Amino acid sequence: MPDYEVKVEPSKDSKEKPAWVRQSEDTAIWLDERLGMRFWTLAAIIVAGFVFGTPHLLISYHCIGPCGTGRAFSCDYLGIGGWRAGIPARQGRCSMIRLF
């Protein structure tokens, strides 16, 4: 019989994941098993909406002050995020679709 005892301990750098992280991973795995590619497509659309914005369609625009070349316009958009007022992109023109 040896004079020493073997004891295995985790390293000081390894930490157990918080409960909310484990729960969210379990939920994602469950959704992936049930929905497959549809889940990941929906997740990508939601993430893209938060990162890049959601598309809004130009509803109306009008001049602010005297109308003419180089004057300011107000562009009103409607989309998933509701009504948004935007500044024209170039030369007093409103783009048809804009991400907000």
Side-chain angles (χ1 to χ4, degrees):
M1 193 84 162
D3 294 338
Y4 57 89
E5 184 178 323
V6 177
K7 187 175 180 183
V8 178
E9 295 180 0
S11 67
K12 294 178 182 177
D13 294 338
S14 68
K15 295 179 182 176
E16 189 174 323
K17 294 179 183 178
W20 68 271
V21 172
R22 285 188 311 236
Q23 181 66 34
S24 62
E25 288 174 350
D26 292 343
T27 303
I29 290 169
W30 183 83
L31 286 170
D32 184 38
E33 290 172 353
R34 301 294 186 274
L35 301 176
M37 194 61 177
R38 291 176 290 181
F39 164 69
W40 293 111
T41 303
L42 181 62
I45 290 170
I46 291 171
V47 168
F50 281 116
V51 172
F52 301 109
T54 57
H56 285 66
L57 183 64
L58 177 67
I59 299 298
S60 67
Y61 64 94
H62 57 277
C63 295
I64 299 173
C67 293
T69 307
R71 300 293 181 196
F73 283 77
S74 173
C75 309
D76 298 323
Y77 294 91
L78 178 62
I80 295 172
W83 283 98
R84 299 279 195 249
I87 300 170
R90 298 183 199 132
Q91 304 164 354
R93 295 182 184 212
C94 302
S95 59
M96 284 300 291
I97 296 176
R98 188 153 180 196
L99 298 176
F100 281 97

